[in-house]
Amino acid sequence: MTTNTNTTSTANATTTVNATSTVPTRLDFAKSAPKVFRALVGFDAAARDGLDPALVELIQIRASHLNHCAYCLHMHTNDARKAGESEDRLHMVAVWREARHFFTEKERAALALTEAVTRVADGGVPDDVYAEASAHFDDEELAHVLALILTINTWNRVALSTAKVAGTDGRR
């Protein structure tokens, strides 16, 4: 089957038109704001420093669930698999409260904090959630966990705002 495709560009977007659909392609954030993008990459790298890679992926997966970011969810579940994360745990992240035995106390504290910070507009970060996290992480680790939560929430918003498509990040 052959499909005719035409592409037109404007200052802000490209529209690809084929026989069955019109799909607006939004800006490439990395190309359009390279200094901002590099700063965010640097912030992300600094946030991860010293944290357990499995915990990093669990936090990023949970925030991506909450933000409905398929692009980041696909990326981070694949990264977690490559790092040796089990399919059972990956499937349970969204329902971690009901599947507590899959996660350590420290991971559960981080997941609860991830939810509170991601949903901060729903009532802030409750004292008990913060206290539980601070009981499992020293000040430096806790600062890194918070920074990681902030970065994944930012990445989710970048991906959602620019209509990134899950599975197009080049990772397998």
Side-chain angles (χ1 to χ4, degrees):
M1 176 178 181
T2 305
T3 303
N4 293 333
T5 303
N6 297 318
T7 303
T8 57
S9 295
T10 66
N12 297 322
T14 301
T15 301
T16 302
V17 182
N18 63 36
T20 58
S21 67
T22 301
V23 180
T25 304
R26 297 186 183 178
L27 68 82
D28 181 328
F29 187 78
K31 286 183 182 177
S32 298
K35 287 182 182 177
V36 175
F37 184 81
R38 284 191 304 271
L40 187 51
V41 168
F43 182 34
D44 185 276
R48 295 165 181 261
D49 190 42
L51 294 178
D52 174 19
L55 181 67
V56 168
E57 296 306 332
L58 292 175
I59 289 169
Q60 293 179 124
I61 289 166
R62 187 62 188 132
S64 298
H65 282 144
L66 296 170
N67 289 321
H68 304 276
C69 185
Y71 180 84
C72 293
L73 184 59
H74 180 267
M75 180 188 310
H76 294 295
T77 54
N78 282 338
D79 287 350
R81 280 185 194 95
K82 287 179 194 171
E85 189 60 74
S86 75
E87 288 298 317
D88 280 345
R89 281 172 39 102
L90 290 176
H91 292 297
M92 295 297 122
V93 174
V95 293
W96 67 270
R97 291 179 195 279
E98 292 77 26
R100 300 176 67 78
H101 62 285
F102 282 90
F103 305 98
T104 67
E105 287 185 28
K106 188 174 188 173
E107 289 168 337
R108 291 192 307 263
L111 290 167
L113 186 63
T114 299
E115 289 180 359
V117 173
T118 299
R119 295 177 169 159
V120 71
D122 294 343
V125 176
D127 290 339
D128 62 325
V129 170
Y130 187 88
E132 184 67 20
S134 67
H136 292 283
F137 298 96
D138 65 31
D139 286 352
E140 183 178 350
E141 288 176 308
L142 185 57
H144 281 259
V145 167
L146 284 169
L148 182 67
I149 296 166
L150 299 175
T151 61
I152 188 56
N153 274 279
T154 301
W155 284 124
N156 288 164
R157 282 153 178 76
V158 169
L160 291 164
S161 299
T162 60
K164 299 292 278 184
V165 177
T168 62
D169 61 300
R171 298 178 192 198
R172 291 247 179 232

